[in-house]
Amino acid sequence: MLDPRIYRAALVPILFAVIVVAFSLADRPRPIGTTLAPDAFSATRAATELTALAAAFPLRRPGDAGDAALAARLATGFRAMRSYQVSTPSFDGETADGTRHLTTVIARQVGQPGPELVVVAHRDALGRGARAELSGTAAMLELARVVSGGQLRRTITFVSTSGGSAGLAGARDLVHRLTGPVDAVIVLGDVGGRALRRPFVTGWSTGDGAAPLQLRRTVEAAVRAESGGNPGGTRAMAQFARLAFPVTVGEQGPLVAGGLPAVLLSAGGERPPSAHARVAPARLQAFGRATLRTLTALDNAGDLRDGPMHDLVTVRKVLPGWAVRLFVAALLIAPLLATVDGLARVRRRHEPVAPSVWRIVTGAGVLVVALAFAWLLGLTGLLPSAPPEPVAAGAVPLAASGLAALVAMTLVAVLAWLALRPWVLRRVDRPARARPGGEGAGIALLVVWCAVAIVLWLGNPYAAALLVPGAHVLLAVVAPGVRLRRPLALALVALAALPFVLVDLSIASQLGLGPVEFAWMCALLVAGGVVGPFGWALWSLVVACLVAAAVLALRPKPPAASPGEPRVTVRGPLSYAGPGSLGGTESALRR
């Protein structure tokens, strides 16, 4: 069914792609530096402001009275500096407590024409006190005092958002309010907490790509200069996971997804601090000065005009996104051509392929129905909260209603498997209980797998790369001429699923999620509409293909020829076809 010669010949483009990738590696852009020391930032004054705000507004759940009162106080403070144009737009946003009326405080100091600089910090918190989470707001107020009166040449905007504790509603709304050109958005998270978790600078998106590398390196260099320590970085595997599945709980995520160059600066990394996290004035001094140093460096530099990037940073080199796309395409050529050739051979033998394709599609449909049910739970408000952005661990707790939702999703999937799937198969005249087998079943699996890989490659080559190992190893699993033992065949199926497991483990580790919390986050991503129907269909097809591959791996081996069976001596076109292969005449045999 599968011609190994076509497969081997199609491996040649990989060598070409490797050469191109090797020559495409480039040096990382240099960070933008400044010789001006940020001595004007006062950590003592910022710490005093933090203590006063935390004491006056201990309860600041998004949209409640404390959050609104703090927004009014911040607006009054910005107006008192006399150099800012202050506005307080309101909107309805999805939070951990459902839909709430939220207020954004925007203070803009107009400078020279050109791209502006933006500093963002959210003021809300889910726990009482939460001084570490409020430290970004205190540092932002001190920065606004330092640069007031035209200390910077560029236009600078300070923004206090709400909803950043869960749902990122303020950041999502801010994307539409920053209408002018923006060179950099610095999001201040926990800049005063005692607990350190690297990397301090995060640029992941909730959409596609990541923050510009030069902006990230500029902020990292400022942190290194002020703290004297290593700001940390993200390993290539973790970068690959985030680019394949864009997910983040930081406020920079919606901003980067909206095309803005934004980074999160936080001593606790991407995860939010606990409500009882302690604050260190020395930490506030280091990160506050690092932010001021970054603003000064960007103010004296030329326009960056950089958007989200799709490059991979490894071994201090930058691998461009187009090179990754080319390399993944080269890796997919061999299994794709082998699948097309195998499909043509099976069709010439009149082996049925469509029934097995329908089996895979209906198997994926079971998962799609369960995911659609989760989306309906979020749409109708039956879930406690379904924010339209990823949420941190514990922001939307897995309470009794959450467990009931997960159980209900499982029951819907079981019901769809037992009732809906057989009905669909009967409607298309396919026996629902027929055991898949034959060459058509294997080709159907390869066709669906390669089709999903191509669709993913068009949109996200990093996600398509996860299907590359399966595209190669499943050839051996489904080929009838390859006699694999069942343990080995199952091991190959597990190898096809391994990239997805590694990516999930990497993301769960970075976000501090356990297995149950990770499953709950995935359910919230579907319920909140973060992952849409197109994503449901694609990844459900991947799961259905893996299940079908496991079934094929367990199929019985074809029976071996009996000793008394006549031996076939006629050779076909895939082997020797020279003189004598078809036998000889009687005259030739006498000679």
Side-chain angles (χ1 to χ4, degrees):
M1 180 182 67
L2 300 177
D3 189 351
R5 295 176 300 178
I6 295 179
Y7 177 81
R8 291 194 299 266
L11 294 177
V12 175
I14 298 179
L15 178 60
F16 170 76
V18 169
I19 296 174
V20 173
V21 167
F23 280 98
S24 68
L25 291 173
D27 294 328
R28 296 177 298 173
R30 296 179 60 86
I32 301 173
T34 178
T35 57
L36 300 177
D39 296 331
F41 185 90
S42 173
T44 302
R45 190 162 48 191
T48 302
E49 185 76 43
L50 173 60
T51 301
L53 294 178
F57 309 99
L59 295 177
R60 308 182 305 277
R61 293 190 74 89
D64 68 359
D67 177 45
L70 179 54
R73 176 161 172 172
L74 293 176
T76 302
F78 281 122
R79 291 191 180 99
M81 299 178 194
R82 299 183 179 277
S83 62
Y84 294 100
Q85 302 172 357
V86 182
S87 60
T88 56
S90 299
F91 63 98
D92 291 332
E94 191 71 22
T95 70
D97 299 323
T99 302
R100 293 292 183 268
H101 193 68
L102 307 177
T103 300
T104 300
V105 180
I106 303 176
R108 189 167 185 260
Q109 179 177 268
V110 180
Q112 296 180 359
E116 63 180 305
L117 305 176
V118 182
V119 179
V120 180
H122 76 269
R123 61 183 181 273
D124 61 298
L126 299 179
R128 184 182 181 88
R131 296 184 62 204
E133 198 163 358
L134 192 60
S135 61
T137 299
M140 183 179 66
L141 285 174
E142 177 60 19
L143 289 169
R145 294 191 188 98
V146 171
V147 302
S148 62
Q151 298 300 318
L152 298 179
R153 296 184 298 107
R154 295 197 186 200
T155 297
I156 184 166
T157 302
F158 294 94
V159 183
S160 173
T161 63
S162 182
S165 56
L168 312 180
R172 286 171 57 89
D173 179 74
L174 183 61
V175 173
H176 308 290
R177 300 192 185 277
L178 297 177
T179 57
V182 176
D183 243 6
V185 181
I186 302 176
V187 180
L188 299 180
D190 169 21
V191 294
R194 290 181 179 271
L196 292 178
R197 186 183 297 110
R198 294 177 175 82
F200 300 149
V201 182
T202 307
W204 301 121
S205 169
T206 56
D208 191 21
L213 182 57
Q214 188 173 30
L215 175 60
R216 282 183 282 163
R217 296 209 67 202
T218 299
V219 180
E220 289 171 354
V223 173
R224 186 180 291 106
E226 296 301 328
S227 66
N230 181 16
T234 307
R235 297 182 180 273
M237 177 61 191
Q239 296 178 53
F240 190 95
R242 291 301 186 90
L243 292 172
F245 293 104
V247 58
T248 181
V249 296
E251 279 191 293
Q252 87 289 343
L255 299 173
V256 178
L260 296 173
V263 294
L264 170 67
L265 176 60
S266 176
E270 189 177 4
R271 309 178 204 171
S274 66
H276 306 290
R278 302 178 62 185
V279 175
R283 197 86 69 220
L284 191 60
Q285 172 84 357
F287 283 87
R289 286 171 59 96
T291 307
L292 182 57
R293 179 181 286 273
T294 300
L295 294 176
T296 305
L298 295 175
D299 184 61
N300 294 324
D303 297 349
L304 298 180
R305 302 291 182 123
D306 289 336
M309 55 168 281
H310 303 82
D311 304 340
L312 191 67
V313 182
T314 176
V315 198
R316 300 182 180 274
K317 293 290 184 179
V318 179
L319 180 62
W322 64 264
V324 175
R325 185 180 295 273
L326 174 65
F327 187 63
V328 173
L331 292 174
L332 287 173
I333 289 177
L336 178 61
L337 292 181
T339 299
V340 172
D341 177 71
L343 177 62
R345 292 173 183 273
V346 168
R347 295 302 298 163
R348 285 196 299 266
R349 299 174 186 176
H350 303 288
E351 287 279 348
V353 177
S356 297
V357 172
W358 274 110
R359 284 188 153 279
I360 296 175
V361 172
T362 53
V366 170
L367 298 177
V368 171
V369 169
L371 296 176
F373 176 74
W375 177 74
L376 287 176
L377 290 179
L379 184 66
T380 56
L382 295 177
L383 283 178
S385 177
E389 297 288 348
V391 297
V396 180
L398 182 61
S401 58
L403 288 174
L406 291 179
V407 172
M409 289 174 59
T410 305
L411 293 178
V412 167
V414 173
L415 182 62
W417 177 270
L418 296 177
L420 183 60
R421 181 172 178 268
W423 179 82
V424 173
L425 290 176
R426 284 195 300 268
R427 294 284 293 180
V428 294
D429 297 327
R430 311 299 179 201
R433 296 184 179 181
R435 182 178 178 86
E439 298 181 2
I443 282 297
L445 170 61
L446 296 178
V447 167
V448 176
W449 188 273
C450 290
V452 173
I454 292 174
V455 173
L456 286 175
W457 179 84
L458 293 175
N460 187 341
Y462 293 95
L466 301 177
L467 277 74
V468 168
H472 288 268
V473 301
L474 292 181
L475 292 173
V477 175
V478 304
V482 180
R483 300 173 60 84
L484 298 176
R485 296 181 180 274
R486 288 181 179 178
L488 179 57
L490 290 175
L492 292 179
V493 176
L495 182 61
L498 183 60
F500 304 96
V501 176
L502 293 178
V503 166
D504 290 344
L505 290 176
S506 176
I507 294 177
S509 175
Q510 294 177 65
L511 299 181
L513 301 172
V516 177
E517 292 173 323
F518 183 75
W520 176 234
M521 186 193 75
C522 292
L524 290 177
L525 292 179
V526 174
V530 181
V531 182
F534 186 70
W536 308 346
L538 285 180
W539 297 116
S540 296
L541 283 173
V542 171
V543 175
C545 285
L546 291 173
V547 173
V551 173
L552 291 176
L554 293 172
R555 65 185 175 182
K557 299 179 182 179
S562 59
E565 188 175 342
R567 184 180 173 212
V568 178
T569 58
V570 178
R571 301 175 183 266
L574 294 182
S575 61
Y576 176 71
S581 62
L582 298 179
T585 63
E586 293 184 5
S587 60
L589 292 176
R590 286 195 300 268
R591 290 196 300 268

